[in-house]
Amino acid sequence: MPGQDRLKRDIIDRGLCSSCGMCVGLCPYIKTAGDMVRVINPCGLAEGACYSVCPKVSLDLREMDLAVFGREREDQALGVVREIYFARAGENRAAKAQYGGVASALAAFALKEGMVTGMALAGGGVLCPRPVLARTVDEVNGCAGSKYTAVPSLAVLNRALREGMSGLGLVGRPCQIAAARKAQAGNLAGDQFSNPQAVGMALGLFCFWSLSPDFYRFAFRRVKGEEMVRMDIPLEGPVVETNSGNCRWQLEEIRPFIKKPCSLCFDSTSEWADLSVGSTEFDPSWNTLIVRSDKGRELVDLALRRGAIEIAQYPEERLPLLRRAALNKKMRVLGLPEFEDGKPGFPVVGRYREQIEAQWGGVNQ
Amino acid sequence: MTIMGVREEKPGVRVALTGNESIARGALEAGVAYAASYPGSPTAEVLGTLAKVAGEHDIYVEWSVNEKVALEGAAAASFTGLRSLTVMKADGLNVALDFAGALAISGCRGGMVIVVGDDPAAHSSVREEDSRNLCKVIHLPVLEPSSVEEAMDMTREAFSLSEELALPVVVRCVTRVCHASGDVKLGKIARTEREPEFQRGDRVITFGIALHAMQEQKLTRASALFCKSGFNSYTGPQRAQRLIIASGPSYMYALEALEMLDLSRETGVLKLGTTWPLPESLLLDYLINASEVVFAEEVEPFVEDNVMALAARHWKDIGSITFYGKRSGHVAGPAGPGIGEMNPDILAGSLSKITGAAFKSPVLSGRKGALELLGEKMPGRDLALCAGCPHRASFWSIKTALELDGRGGIVLGDIGCYTLGIARTGYHILQTVHCMGAGVGIAGGMGKLDRFGFNRPVITVVGDSTFYHAAVPALINARYNRSNFMLVLLDNETTAMTGHQPHPGRSSTATGEPADTVHMEDIIRGIGIPCSLQDPYDVEATIDVICRMLQQEGPRVLILRRTCALAAVKGKQKNRVYVDGKRCIGDACGCGRFCSKVFSCPANIWDAESGKARIDEAVCNGCGVCATLCPRQAITVERTV
């Protein structure tokens, strides 16, 4: 497996880094500020863990399915799915939470119940998000609310592992879940990854793309200096909520701010998470919740029993829409002229490709 | 290095002094009343020595903000009739030159001596300027000691000469004299009994060309006095056909070289202690018999050029002479004629070329010889910042922040310990280095080039002492003209490079009296420039604040404040820092020996036996920065407080 030099040349220098943060802090040479991840000095080593954990290189979809779930996916749109629900937080909903507040509720619940020792997530305000390792319910709630710029929050996961913590959890974007799974699966230098208990819970978010921080400078001018309290990107276009009202844009206006790696990304629903959480694109008081693993099932069951979340049936007629959206993203990537299976920035799709095309054709428009 | 020797009251006693102490003693024997300096190697210790004895001899001693101000203050004392001394390195004379040139025209009253330390081979300077050329330009007489004792004698006599000529006199001292220790015979310490006076109506003015004519007359007189000076002497046969004209320590080297080649009997050596203006008639007395003249001096062919011009004027009387020196290429060190220091071997080699006398260059000559002799036993040694130096942490943070910023920001340098930022120890981060304060001025210019499409972020670093010395006008200019750059003020709370002298940011003066501290923050904010403060030992926070400030516009200042590691641990118990052998996994770690190979603090070493990192506890100053950077957190700091 190559090392830092290739990571820099193939990914970082070509603008293909999605700022997951997994390589940050493995060595003293890869650092982060804001949403930037940069190599600050050559390490001189031919091989390195930084390259092997990167979700933008050698991400073999089938191998990942087998490593995480022990089986191949049947659904090429959503990956390995056990159950899918509408869900929302129970009584203790975080004030700033997005939609149903399920991601925050589950993260806080897992911490409260001692199922994880700490949660790596994106905290800070909308304007200056930053990685946080939450160890208490309050700290989780402090991080509630979606961030639309990339936060390299896995850097704090790395740091906590180095400090000897174990049984950690994370709330992350699909690339971050993939990176954490790669790290867990790989036989990497150092002992922080060799502990199978290192990452005990991966809560994935739905994510179609993240924005460069330049978006905030753009948005700041538009809201004329008012404080941006919350942001959302529903189908009808992005909205920024300020204290005196909302500011809305057409999706096309913000497209220039979409990070390059996101337009090459294949995974919009965190396919290797234990649980995936996203919007419903239907009812803003609910989330979509996908249960993927036994561990995820366990957490949901307990959370339901204790009233941390509640669930409802996923409306049958909505499922094709969700699958369509996920497949569309994959088809867009496959249709890019520069697409090459396994080329840096793209996953190894392999024989899944035929199934994707078949299922995409099979979905009702 | 004995302050006891400098203090010794009994005349005639012989003591061992360094060249710099010897200069201080010479000034004491001349009854100096006022001494001012800005520290610079090789003469930094002169003023420090005087400061130690200032109380008992009732003299005023100050570290000034820069050399020009020091010279102006000393001139004031001279105008009132007191004897005054200023000390500076060659670069300092450049700073003071505007005033020095004016003063050479107006003249002075009380004896005024300017000690200028030249640094041939630039041991602790950015260049090896020969200040004699400047002295000639501004019309100041120059004395050049060739030994430690002569440094004392010349300094003492320079005061009388200055009063006789009503002109400041320069004592030009090179590193090998300043830093050598030698045996000196003490004279009597003179107490100043003069009453300073500058009456209404007294005038010391530089104006017009009439004074220029007077200035030339003064030099003509000086030349005449020098012809009788005991600082010029001749050794060798009468009417020698081969004559060496030597000045400074090259005189000693010449004697040694002649002995090595067994040429002493047939070669005359004319020692020139007064190098400007030339003692013309004295020189002509010897030139008239010579058919070959060899020049031995450092650095430039100063005496050589001027003696050759003298000979040209008198060629009818003195006949044909072949001149060997830097111009002819015969007298040259390994780097070429007029470059670097002299030594007996170089001169012996030159004389051998000129005379054909056999000379086998010793094996151990220069770097090449040393490498041959020691081979692999001695590893190469880079110039390096000290263990725990806050600048190392600052440079690492700047480097990191610029990489994170990703816009190809540039870093400009300045003069101080942190000039080592040009080398591996500072990650080769500095891209310009010139003279005191120049980095800020250059940054000011870079920050105005956006209209031409130059959009790289600009960082300039300057030390605390350099800031007070020369950076403030450039900062005012940047604010006034709205330039766009970030100044990182590397504040280690002392003038570290030259030996921890105080500066206007400190709370005491050269003589240890309480001072009115001039806070750099007040100056910067007073100019109207935003200013933040950060401890560079907290690398993560420093990177953060630099990244943030890089996004801002206009001139802005970040002060990275942390006491020089050497000053901080002086007289205190150091923190103990050690590597936990269980956590450090050596080459199995992805760090590639970060602490010893990349971060490169001299205290971070590699233990080949265990294959793990180790701390050299004898060298470590306990800063603990490496502990915060080790990716395995294998380094532990036991704090003593």
Side-chain angles (χ1 to χ4, degrees):
Chain A
M1 191 56 90
Q4 187 209 64
D5 179 47
R6 284 279 302 281
L7 182 74
K8 180 169 173 353
R9 274 189 293 139
D10 292 353
I11 300 298
I12 296 177
D13 289 352
R14 291 171 59 205
L16 297 178
C17 169
S18 69
S19 310
C20 72
M22 197 69 230
C23 63
V24 178
L26 289 175
C27 69
Y29 307 114
I30 303 182
K31 297 283 179 193
T32 172
D35 78 326
M36 297 171 290
V37 173
R38 294 276 190 275
V39 172
I40 56 160
N41 202 74
C43 69
L45 301 177
E47 300 195 345
C50 56
Y51 190 88
S52 37
V53 297
C54 178
K56 294 297 165 189
V57 294
S58 315
L59 186 75
D60 188 314
L61 305 185
R62 186 173 158 273
E63 276 179 20
M64 288 293 287
D65 281 353
L66 293 173
V68 179
F69 304 113
R71 62 183 170 103
E72 287 185 31
R73 63 184 65 185
E74 286 122 30
D75 185 347
Q76 288 296 343
L78 303 177
V80 173
V81 176
R82 282 186 54 150
E83 295 89 18
I84 180 164
Y85 303 107
F86 267 20
R88 65 181 175 199
E91 291 160 6
N92 300 319
R93 188 178 188 280
K96 294 188 292 171
Q98 207 93 351
Y99 300 120
V102 169
S104 303
L106 286 175
F109 180 75
L111 261 178
K112 196 173 124 199
E113 294 297 319
M115 297 170 82
V116 291
T117 53
M119 269 282 177
L121 26 76
V126 174
L127 270 180
C128 50
R130 60 188 166 79
V132 169
L133 184 78
R135 294 171 199 240
T136 65
V137 170
D138 281 350
E139 283 170 359
V140 170
N141 289 342
C143 297
S146 298
K147 318 290 183 293
Y148 288 91
T149 53
V151 183
S153 42
L154 295 182
V156 297
L157 185 76
N158 249 336
R159 177 179 298 199
L161 291 173
R162 274 202 324 269
E163 283 168 4
M165 286 181 73
S166 169
L168 291 158
L170 73 136
V171 179
R173 290 171 279 131
C175 53
Q176 295 182 301
I177 304 296
R181 293 304 193 200
K182 273 188 96 181
Q184 275 184 303
N187 186 17
L188 304 170
D191 55 12
Q192 69 246 51
F193 297 118
S194 58
N195 174 4
Q197 307 306 318
V199 177
M201 183 65 63
L203 296 180
L205 300 168
F206 287 12
C207 169
F208 282 79
W209 30 254
S210 62
L211 300 172
S212 102
D214 292 340
F215 166 76
Y216 288 134
R217 277 189 275 279
F218 163 80
F220 203 67
R221 282 196 295 274
R222 292 288 292 270
V223 301
K224 298 187 177 67
E226 276 205 63
E227 194 194 346
M228 291 184 238
V229 182
R230 222 164 72 100
M231 182 174 165
D232 187 16
I233 309 190
L235 282 178
E236 32 319 350
V239 184
V240 163
E241 194 179 298
T242 69
N243 289 325
S244 62
N246 289 350
C247 197
R248 193 175 283 275
W249 292 275
Q250 292 302 308
L251 191 54
E252 282 317 306
E253 281 184 274
I254 64 162
R255 207 170 276 287
F257 300 109
I258 293 176
K259 279 172 81 87
K260 186 172 166 192
C262 301
S263 18
L264 313 188
C265 177
F266 223 60
D267 178 2
S268 48
T269 61
S270 291
E271 291 165 4
W272 299 292
D274 293 303
L275 297 167
S276 299
V277 181
S279 88
T280 60
E281 302 292 354
F282 177 64
D283 183 341
S285 62
W286 292 86
N287 282 112
T288 297
L289 173 66
I290 300 176
V291 181
R292 298 187 186 274
S293 71
D294 296 345
K295 204 176 257 173
R297 182 74 248 175
E298 215 175 293
L299 176 61
V300 167
D301 285 343
L302 197 63
L304 285 171
R305 270 209 299 283
R306 304 273 159 87
I309 61 165
E310 54 187 276
I311 54 173
Q313 200 187 356
Y314 197 87
E316 197 93 350
E317 68 283 8
R318 302 286 318 164
L319 197 56
L321 298 177
L322 176 62
R323 296 192 66 242
R324 185 79 206 170
L327 282 171
N328 274 348
K329 179 146 176 62
K330 292 176 202 276
M331 289 304 294
R332 241 194 327 268
V333 175
L334 290 172
L336 289 171
E338 68 265 36
F339 178 82
E340 214 176 282
D341 210 27
K343 185 175 151 186
F346 294 109
V348 180
V349 183
R351 64 180 201 219
Y352 278 4
R353 180 170 185 148
E354 289 164 29
Q355 297 175 33
I356 293 169
E357 283 169 0
Q359 292 184 13
W360 182 68
V363 172
N364 293 327
Q365 296 287 332
Chain B
M1 298 242 289
T2 54
I3 190 70
M4 299 281 285
V6 178
R7 283 205 165 101
E8 176 60 57
E9 293 276 351
K10 219 185 297 165
V13 173
R14 299 199 75 95
V15 296
L17 296 181
T18 65
N20 284 337
E21 288 166 340
S22 171
I23 292 167
R25 172 73 189 202
L28 282 179
E29 291 183 5
V32 70
Y34 187 111
S37 173
Y38 180 84
S41 193
T43 42
E45 295 83 13
V46 177
L47 195 101
T49 304
L50 283 173
K52 284 181 194 155
V53 300
E56 62 219 67
H57 295 298
D58 199 21
I59 54 181
Y60 175 72
V61 177
E62 80 167 31
W63 284 122
S64 310
V65 71
N66 66 33
E67 294 86 351
K68 181 167 176 279
V69 173
L71 186 65
E72 287 156 353
S78 166
F79 294 164
T80 69
L82 296 175
R83 287 188 162 184
S84 70
L85 177 78
T86 9
V87 189
M88 56 194 69
K89 69 185 296 171
D91 313 67
L93 181 62
N94 303 339
V95 174
L97 197 70
D98 200 5
F99 179 68
L103 183 63
I105 295 174
S106 75
C108 62
R109 282 177 58 196
M112 189 170 173
V113 175
I114 306 172
V115 173
V116 179
D118 278 11
D119 190 13
H123 292 287
S124 47
S125 312
V126 291
R127 54 182 155 167
E128 50 168 6
E129 185 173 304
D130 190 329
S131 63
R132 297 175 301 176
N133 284 307
L134 285 183
C135 296
K136 182 184 173 185
V137 169
I138 60 171
H139 296 64
L140 286 185
V142 180
L143 307 182
E144 238 184 294
S146 55
S147 68
V148 171
E149 184 165 41
E150 202 173 33
M152 179 180 76
D153 295 339
M154 277 188 177
T155 306
R156 184 181 57 236
E157 297 311 315
F159 282 95
S160 318
L161 182 65
S162 165
E163 277 165 13
E164 195 160 345
L165 298 170
L167 204 57
V169 172
V170 172
V171 176
R172 186 243 191 183
C173 234
V174 295
T175 305
R176 298 294 175 184
V177 172
C178 294
H179 288 178
S181 284
D183 178 34
V184 306
K185 188 178 169 194
L186 300 177
K188 190 173 180 307
I189 291 179
R191 301 270 185 280
T192 181
E193 268 144 31
R194 303 183 187 191
E195 293 269 321
E197 183 59 278
F198 195 76
Q199 290 182 357
R200 272 300 293 146
D202 279 354
R203 290 159 74 86
V204 189
I205 287 170
T206 304
F207 189 78
I209 62 163
L211 290 167
H212 187 183
M214 254 174 82
Q215 198 181 17
E216 298 293 352
Q217 284 163 17
K218 285 180 183 177
L219 286 186
T220 308
R221 249 192 86 223
S223 174
L225 288 170
F226 287 168
C227 288
K228 290 174 280 175
S229 167
F231 296 129
N232 302 323
S233 62
Y234 175 80
T235 43
Q238 278 196 331
R239 299 175 178 276
Q241 291 203 358
R242 189 186 306 118
L243 179 69
I244 299 178
I245 300 178
S247 63
S250 296
Y251 167 64
M252 304 294 193
Y253 306 154
L255 295 181
E256 206 175 321
L258 287 174
E259 216 174 284
M260 282 157 76
L261 299 177
D262 199 20
L263 289 174
S264 306
R265 275 183 312 271
E266 48 183 287
T267 311
V269 181
L270 179 60
K271 169 185 173 296
L272 217 55
T274 67
T275 39
W276 190 255
L278 291 180
E280 295 195 350
S281 58
L282 175 78
L283 279 161
L284 288 170
D285 285 349
Y286 290 93
L287 289 175
I288 208 154
N289 297 314
S291 56
E292 290 182 352
V293 171
V294 183
F295 294 99
E297 61 184 320
E298 290 167 321
V299 178
E300 309 272 352
F302 177 80
V303 171
E304 182 176 336
D305 282 352
N306 288 301
V307 167
M308 278 162 74
L310 174 72
R313 276 194 278 131
H314 296 272
W315 71 275
K316 269 189 180 160
D317 307 320
I318 59 173
S320 161
I321 299 176
T322 311
F323 291 103
Y324 297 103
K326 288 167 176 143
R327 296 295 177 200
S328 71
H330 287 85
V331 180
I339 302 165
E341 288 188 294
M342 282 290 126
N343 65 35
D345 289 341
I346 293 171
L347 273 180
S350 305
L351 286 168
S352 158
K353 253 188 288 174
I354 293 161
T355 62
F359 172 64
K360 196 175 165 288
S361 148
V363 184
L364 224 177
S365 177
R367 187 185 154 83
K368 221 172 134 194
L371 282 176
E372 238 166 73
L373 192 73
L374 294 164
E376 288 168 6
K377 288 178 211 155
M378 278 279 267
R381 225 168 238 240
D382 280 353
L383 283 170
L385 297 164
C386 306
C389 178
H391 299 330
R392 180 179 290 102
S394 298
F395 285 147
W396 186 254
S397 297
I398 292 172
K399 174 186 162 69
T400 305
L402 284 176
E403 291 297 340
L404 287 169
D405 182 76
R407 290 177 291 165
I410 59 168
V411 188
L412 312 179
D414 223 295
I415 305 295
C417 295
Y418 54 95
T419 305
L420 288 180
I422 60 172
R424 202 174 74 99
T425 190
Y427 319 113
H428 304 287
I429 201 167
L430 300 184
Q431 298 171 263
T432 66
V433 169
H434 295 88
C435 65
M436 297 286 283
V440 187
I442 297 171
M446 291 274 187
K448 290 304 294 182
L449 301 181
D450 51 338
R451 70 183 60 203
F452 305 110
F454 184 82
N455 286 318
R456 291 178 188 276
V458 177
I459 288 182
T460 185
V461 300
V462 70
D464 40 342
S465 197
T466 306
F467 170 79
Y468 292 106
H469 179 287
V472 177
L475 211 53
I476 293 171
N477 187 63
R479 161 76 171 156
Y480 169 59
N481 287 303
R482 299 186 171 172
S483 185
N484 186 23
F485 66 88
M486 175 173 172
L487 167 63
V488 177
L489 224 165
L490 303 171
D491 179 10
N492 59 7
E493 306 191 298
T494 184
T495 315
M497 186 92 191
T498 45
H500 297 123
Q501 292 83 3
H503 58 57
R506 309 305 300 147
S507 55
S508 63
T509 67
T511 45
E513 282 153 52
D516 286 331
T517 309
V518 182
H519 296 285
M520 55 181 76
E521 295 94 314
D522 294 346
I523 297 177
I524 296 158
R525 292 191 181 121
I527 295 172
I529 292 178
C531 172
S532 310
L533 186 68
Q534 173 63 43
D535 174 5
Y537 277 179
D538 186 344
V539 171
E540 206 169 312
T542 305
I543 294 169
D544 231 51
V545 67
I546 296 173
C547 280
R548 213 170 51 235
M549 288 182 74
L550 278 170
Q551 297 294 329
Q552 297 164 3
E553 289 186 349
R556 60 250 190 232
V557 178
L558 173 64
I559 300 173
L560 293 180
R561 178 170 297 152
R562 173 56 81 155
T563 309
C564 166
L566 299 185
V569 299
K570 212 170 180 182
K572 292 191 192 115
Q573 207 197 332
K574 300 193 276 191
N575 292 331
R576 183 171 170 251
V577 182
Y578 58 92
V579 173
D580 179 345
K582 285 198 206 78
R583 281 174 163 252
C584 176
I585 53 172
D587 282 334
C589 179
C591 77
R593 305 188 193 176
F594 169 77
C595 57
S596 57
K597 260 187 163 169
V598 180
F599 187 61
S600 294
C601 176
N604 291 106
I605 55 177
W606 180 254
D607 187 347
E609 213 167 285
S610 65
K612 289 178 183 195
R614 193 155 71 81
I615 304 289
D616 184 340
E617 292 194 24
V619 173
C620 177
N621 283 313
C623 75
V625 171
C626 62
T628 67
L629 296 175
C630 169
R632 304 278 313 167
Q633 283 155 337
I635 303 175
T636 307
V637 183
E638 266 174 31
R639 305 247 167 226
T640 50
V641 276

